[in-house]
Amino acid sequence: QTIMQAAHEGAVSGIIGECGGAAMCGTCHVFVNTVNLDDLPVMNQNENELSDCTATPRQPNSRLSCQIRMTEKLTGLKLTLPEQQLF
Ligand code: FES
């Protein structure tokens, strides 16, 4: 399960996920705060390019939550949501 899917199941607002996790919309943008960024899956080219087009400007800890599958390594993960997900 990805962070975006978990957020939807848990009714967490602020992660829209308009494209359903296909890495095409950028509306699942999050800032990763408390996990070693090296523990996250490597960002692929598609996510990297789309992260430059999010409604709230990209930061060094920006990720698209639909591209991160939850694993035990990510226990304790804390995220901050951007001010806006839509233009
Ligand atoms: Fe669309 Fe993540 S849900 S890019």
Side-chain angles (χ1 to χ4, degrees):
Q1 189 174 49
T2 66
I3 294 170
M4 186 272 286
Q5 290 168 327
H8 282 186
E9 283 186 17
V12 175
S13 61
I15 296 180
I16 298 171
E18 223 169 43
C19 73
M24 294 177 66
C25 69
T27 64
C28 64
H29 181 199
V30 296
F31 301 116
V32 177
N33 294 321
T34 58
V35 165
N36 183 347
L37 294 179
D38 292 338
D39 287 341
L40 297 175
V42 175
M43 184 183 287
N44 65 32
Q45 183 181 353
N46 196 32
E47 181 184 0
N48 189 34
E49 288 175 5
L50 186 57
S51 293
D52 288 333
C53 307
T54 51
T56 297
R58 178 183 195 165
Q59 300 294 319
N61 61 341
S62 284
R63 292 298 302 259
L64 299 181
S65 61
C66 70
Q67 299 300 300
I68 301 173
R69 289 206 172 277
M70 287 303 294
T71 64
E72 233 173 88
K73 247 184 181 178
L74 299 181
T75 299
L77 175 74
K78 289 199 178 159
L79 307 168
T80 303
L81 300 178
E83 277 184 35
Q84 55 182 32
Q85 295 282 20
L86 298 171
F87 287 98

